[in-house]
Amino acid sequence: MRKLLATLAVLSIAALVAIGCGKQDQAASGASELVPAGSVIYGEATLRPEGDQNAAIDAILSKFPGGGQAGDKLKDLIEKGLRESDAPVSFKEDIEPWLGDEAAFFVTNLTPNSDAQSAAGLIATDDEDKARAALEKSAEGKLTKKNYKDVEYLSDESGEVGAVFDGYLVLGTEAGVKAAIDTSEGGKKLSEDESYKNALDDAADDRLGFFYMNSPELLRSLRESGAPLPGSVGKFFTEPLVATLDADKDGVVFEGTVPEGMGRASFFGQASDLMEELPGDSWLGMAQTDFGKLVDFYLDAFAGVNGGRDVIEQQLKAATGLDFQRDVIDWMGDFGVFVRGTSVAELDGALIVETKDEAASGRFISALERLAKSQGQGAVQIGPLDAPGGGKGFTARGPEIPKPIHVFQKGGRVVFAYGDAAASDAVNPANKLGDSADYTAARDSLGDYDISFFLLTKPILDLVESTGAATDADWQKAKPYLEPLNALVGGTSGDGDSLRSAVKLIVK
């Protein structure tokens, strides 16, 4: 049944990005009536395209090779995939006749290796007999019929289990299918779970799809399974994570409420005004508030599996003489990163950290210089700063490093720059990203969010083309599908517990 499972998984995932239709209210879906309360992960999508969002998806897909309407295109791709994999089922003959309007999946617990012990996919069916026939036809090797609480379920040599009941085809692990049957027979439902209902209240009304992760329950499941997790990780799993998917004429957008601690570990952290002060020709830009908290987060995560925070701080002090809190964390303000260049020779960039205490950040840079000199062992030459525009710091050069690396502070900023031009523009760029036409268009497309992450596609394609990959056959096949992509942009609104994040993939 693995090929049927793969097919239905493709349907579910593709529905989120290609053929979903918006939900007009926040009522619990039919699938959530079969999902056990306390499930750690749940996702759903609507399979019947209609309304403005379906029109938007069709408009987006028309810009890619092949064009056509989303539903028709997906059907053709699935049919082709089944045919090429010698699957015993056909989408048109064996799946489409019974396929309903909703797809979902759930996971109730995980193993230490993050494998799903109890998980299943659910596909709504308009004809249970035809769905059951497709299930039997997809069997790999010997088919075995079993019974659980008066519900027949099927298993085969692939190890997958499937059943058809209550208007759904349910396919997954045996424990997952049995969990859905238990729920159908009176077990507590996800739709009645307070954590789920509260999370759903925060979700956008009009959406293509919905994803829910019960972070506290996930953490409990992993710890009970014996997964090696640092104790400090618990503070980042205090509340559920919710995300929805929406579409408009120029792209698809993920929106959700992200716990502040989790946001700081990614580009979902709160946006900084430094973003729009990055160089205007950057094709990658990222800027968030309080770099010290980000460093502190990763120190906790690293220390949890390496002897504890005290051990790491003592090692740092022994190697550099620095006090981690006073000389590293406390002076750090907002930070930004930029990368630019459309060929390997042109490539440069920098990390910029605003400093709240130049004396402390100066001690930090001096300690880095001493450490670099003692560890370089002749492979890298460390000398006085010679970046254009000056500052206080040092420069590293080496035969294997095409451009110099400048580490310095100037104008309230600590800069780690690759290349002379990047060092100069990190402090005083001739043109700023906030004035760039590509950036402003992406910012306007995302809407009511402050930008924290920006990635422009065309310069990256140009960079790849400037290398030997330009003659690679696989690259040339993939390139037409990448060219319609314009940018990936992320942003935030609010702060603290009310922080909302969004990521949008924009097409031309």
Side-chain angles (χ1 to χ4, degrees):
M1 299 176 190
R2 287 190 185 276
K3 289 181 179 177
L4 179 59
L5 178 63
T7 300
L8 298 180
V10 168
L11 272 172
S12 303
I13 295 169
L16 291 174
V17 297
I19 64 172
C21 69
K23 290 183 179 291
Q24 301 306 315
D25 56 59
Q26 295 180 335
S29 70
S32 66
E33 300 288 303
L34 296 179
V35 175
S39 292
V40 297
I41 296 174
Y42 174 71
E44 65 178 38
T46 303
L47 298 177
R48 299 295 186 194
E50 62 182 33
D52 293 342
Q53 294 208 34
N54 179 65
I57 291 294
D58 282 338
I60 291 169
L61 290 184
S62 69
K63 301 173 183 180
F64 289 83
Q69 291 192 331
D72 293 338
K73 195 168 189 178
L74 179 62
K75 292 174 188 177
D76 291 342
L77 289 172
I78 292 175
E79 193 71 74
K80 180 181 178 182
L82 289 171
R83 188 169 57 250
E84 292 179 350
S85 66
D86 296 323
V89 291
S90 159
F91 179 78
K92 183 177 181 179
E93 296 178 3
D94 300 309
I95 298 176
E96 189 173 17
W98 58 263
L99 189 63
D101 62 359
E102 184 181 23
F105 72 95
F106 70 88
V107 178
T108 63
N109 57 61
L110 299 172
T111 69
N113 295 324
S114 298
D115 295 326
Q117 287 182 322
S118 178
L122 304 93
I123 305 291
T125 174
D126 296 329
D127 189 322
E128 290 192 0
D129 291 337
K130 290 182 179 178
R132 191 173 290 106
L135 188 62
E136 294 183 8
K137 189 175 180 180
S138 69
E140 299 174 33
K142 182 181 178 181
L143 178 67
T144 302
K145 295 183 179 181
K146 301 179 182 179
N147 192 282
Y148 179 70
K149 294 187 176 181
D150 295 326
V151 176
E152 181 182 80
Y153 69 95
L154 311 176
S155 64
D156 64 7
E157 295 177 2
S158 72
E160 306 299 335
V161 168
V164 181
F165 58 95
D166 291 1
Y168 284 85
L169 185 152
V170 183
L171 191 61
T173 67
E174 185 168 13
V177 172
K178 285 184 174 180
I181 295 173
D182 285 337
T183 307
S184 170
E185 295 297 316
K188 190 175 180 181
K189 309 168 184 176
L190 182 66
S191 59
E192 300 171 347
D193 188 303
E194 286 301 318
S195 295
Y196 175 75
K197 289 194 293 185
N198 292 337
L200 201 61
D201 287 340
D202 292 332
D205 293 353
D206 189 19
R207 58 182 183 264
L208 295 172
F210 174 84
F211 175 81
Y212 164 77
M213 184 175 74
N214 188 338
S215 303
E217 192 66 23
L218 175 62
L219 181 63
R220 183 196 64 77
S221 175
L222 289 171
R223 281 179 170 164
E224 287 185 353
S225 70
L229 297 173
S232 60
V233 77
K235 64 183 178 181
F236 305 109
F237 287 79
T238 58
E239 56 188 288
L241 184 149
V242 181
T244 59
L245 183 66
D246 194 4
D248 57 31
K249 60 182 175 61
D250 64 353
V252 292
V253 58
F254 292 88
E255 296 181 87
T257 301
V258 179
E260 183 180 13
M262 192 176 295
R264 290 201 176 278
S266 65
F267 58 72
F268 297 112
Q270 187 174 351
S272 166
D273 293 340
L274 185 57
M275 184 74 183
E276 300 199 352
E277 297 178 16
L278 298 176
D281 55 351
S282 303
W283 50 255
L284 169 66
M286 177 178 174
Q288 295 181 13
T289 59
D290 207 334
F291 191 57
K293 285 188 177 181
L294 179 66
V295 174
D296 199 51
F297 167 85
Y298 281 110
L299 175 68
D300 272 348
F302 180 73
V305 293
N306 288 277
R309 186 181 180 107
D310 288 345
V311 172
I312 303 298
E313 291 188 4
Q314 289 168 10
Q315 290 174 343
L316 175 70
K317 191 157 191 174
T320 65
L322 297 175
D323 178 87
F324 187 79
Q325 190 66 43
R326 184 186 67 245
D327 298 324
V328 181
I329 295 294
D330 286 349
W331 63 262
M332 292 181 172
D334 294 0
F335 76 99
V337 176
F338 71 87
V339 180
R340 60 189 182 176
T342 56
S343 69
V344 174
E346 295 175 350
L347 201 63
D348 69 8
L351 164 65
I352 305 164
V353 184
E354 294 182 335
T355 176
K356 295 179 282 187
D357 183 344
E358 292 197 1
S361 53
R363 290 195 298 271
F364 176 77
I365 293 172
S366 296
L368 286 185
E369 182 176 4
R370 292 193 301 272
L371 187 64
K373 286 179 177 178
S374 66
Q375 299 295 319
Q377 298 179 346
V380 178
Q381 290 76 49
I382 306 299
L385 179 72
D386 62 3
K392 295 181 180 180
F394 64 94
T395 295
R397 299 178 185 273
E400 303 298 322
I401 308 173
K403 294 182 179 181
I405 296 174
H406 303 291
V407 181
F408 64 98
Q409 68 176 356
K410 181 181 180 182
R413 294 179 178 183
V414 172
V415 177
F416 302 79
Y418 174 67
D420 290 341
S424 176
D425 289 347
V427 176
N428 186 28
N431 299 292
K432 296 183 179 181
L433 192 59
D435 299 323
S436 158
D438 289 323
Y439 174 84
T440 55
R443 181 187 60 199
D444 293 345
S445 179
L446 189 62
D448 297 327
Y449 290 91
D450 298 320
I451 304 301
S452 61
F453 179 85
F454 171 72
L455 179 68
L456 197 60
T457 306
K458 188 178 183 304
I460 300 176
L461 300 184
D462 292 341
L463 178 62
V464 175
E465 283 287 305
S466 73
T467 69
T471 58
D472 182 80
D474 290 337
W475 166 251
Q476 292 303 323
K477 288 180 182 178
K479 184 181 174 184
Y481 294 91
L482 299 174
E483 288 176 329
L485 302 178
N486 184 32
L488 179 67
V489 60
T492 62
S493 65
D495 55 28
D497 293 338
S498 63
L499 185 69
R500 288 188 60 81
S501 296
V503 177
K504 186 170 186 178
L505 181 63
I506 304 172
V507 298
K508 297 176 182 177

